[in-house]
Amino acid sequence: MDDQTIINALILGIVEGLTEFIPVSSTGHLLLLGHFLGFESTGKTFEVLIQLGAILAILSVYFGRLWKLATSLPSDPSSRRFVGGVFLAFLPAAVIGVLAHGFIKTVLFESPALVCSTLLIGGVLLLWIDRLPLKPRYTNVMDYPLVLCLAIGFVQCLAMVPGVSRSGATIAGALLMGTDKRSAAEFSFFLAMPTMAGAFAYDLYKNRNVLSGDDITLIVIGFVASFVAGVFVVRGLLDFVSRHGFAPFAWWRIFVGTAGFAGLYFLG
């Protein structure tokens, strides 16, 4: 394993942490950047497993709230309803992710042009949604009805196509179903924990026999970088969204998708 490969793993880990929780598609960024860097991971496991760093970033920032939520479960009906809602939202991705795992990793993950297309389309849609005169009915994630949580979970499944964005799909779907921007982003945080933990565990199980020592070293490097970058994003994202909405992320998607197509045309 050469120094450039280690540097590439570090760069990709930072990109994962910076993009996981904003609606720009961390997987799409990793696949495109990895393509142009010439970075190849065994079974495309690196791109999935370094998400553990982002998961721990949420846990570290939200630890106090998660602990309070956990200790209140036996006595607080609203806490039980919220945890049940997150679990319901997680179920569609869990089922479809297991059934379509092979197709996602061997077909969808191998198409940079698909990533560029979904980045562009998603950017235009997010820009449109951000400008709609929506009147939110739900402003607190603790008050989301169970049926709304399940519907958001089904929308999240669109993000199995790289470039769509897990957070982008959940946030856009939540906004169209009556939430405000801040609570939509916050629910996406909570839903990320079981979703990414499940993807991590299943992908590790499927590839446990093909990972080498070098693969594990690169994953650890990417994981640490992802965690550090993710902490900064989680701490500041909700306030940023409250002030600026999602238009900056939409324009970034359009820029990256366009630049990606240009790179594919000129560089291959």
Side-chain angles (χ1 to χ4, degrees):
M1 181 170 53
D2 57 27
D3 291 343
Q4 186 59 52
T5 302
I6 294 175
I7 293 172
N8 289 343
L10 180 62
I11 293 171
L12 291 169
I14 293 172
V15 170
E16 160 63 26
L18 292 177
T19 58
E20 179 59 53
F21 304 111
I22 61 177
V24 300
S25 179
S26 62
T27 302
H29 278 66
L30 292 182
L31 293 176
L32 271 184
L33 187 56
H35 173 80
F36 291 119
L37 290 174
F39 183 88
E40 290 289 337
S41 66
T42 303
K44 294 294 184 183
T45 55
F46 176 90
E47 291 81 355
V48 176
L49 297 186
I50 64 170
Q51 292 178 352
L52 178 63
I55 299 171
L56 294 183
I58 299 180
L59 292 175
S60 67
V61 174
Y62 274 73
F63 179 79
R65 185 166 179 182
L66 290 170
W67 179 256
K68 183 178 180 180
L69 186 65
T71 55
S72 67
L73 281 175
S75 59
D76 187 357
S78 66
S79 294
R80 292 196 295 271
R81 185 181 66 246
F82 173 70
V83 172
V86 173
F87 178 74
L88 278 177
F90 161 70
L91 281 180
V95 174
I96 296 175
V98 170
L99 295 177
H101 180 267
F103 176 75
I104 293 169
K105 295 294 288 292
T106 61
V107 178
L108 299 183
F109 271 38
E110 298 294 337
S111 177
L114 173 64
V115 173
C116 295
S117 299
T118 51
L119 282 171
L120 282 169
I121 294 170
V124 171
L125 289 176
L126 189 61
L127 198 60
W128 170 67
I129 292 171
D130 192 64
R131 293 179 176 179
L132 288 176
L134 300 173
K135 296 181 179 180
R137 302 190 303 276
Y138 311 105
T139 58
N140 187 337
V141 292
M142 300 296 292
D143 298 330
Y144 279 17
L146 294 180
V147 65
L148 172 62
C149 296
L150 181 61
I152 293 173
F154 277 109
V155 174
Q156 179 182 232
C157 294
L158 296 173
M160 293 179 188
V161 180
V164 170
S165 170
R166 185 202 57 78
S167 59
T170 56
I171 289 170
L175 290 175
L176 291 174
M177 288 183 277
T179 73
D180 73 323
K181 293 175 181 178
R182 186 182 182 93
S183 71
E186 189 172 30
F187 188 80
S188 178
F189 281 172
F190 282 103
L191 182 54
M193 286 182 266
T195 301
M196 292 194 296
F200 172 90
Y202 188 71
D203 203 81
L204 181 61
Y205 168 76
K206 294 290 287 185
N207 292 282
R208 66 192 185 282
N209 295 323
V210 298
L211 293 176
S212 67
D214 285 351
D215 293 324
I216 294 172
T217 299
L218 293 176
I219 290 168
V220 170
I221 292 170
F223 152 78
V224 173
S226 172
F227 169 76
V228 174
V231 167
F232 285 104
V233 174
V234 173
R235 286 186 183 279
L237 180 61
L238 294 183
D239 289 338
F240 182 89
V241 167
S242 297
R243 294 193 303 269
H244 303 288
F246 296 106
F249 306 121
W251 286 114
W252 176 256
R253 291 178 64 106
I254 293 170
F255 167 75
V256 173
T258 303
F261 270 126
L264 291 175
Y265 179 80
F266 290 108
L267 302 176

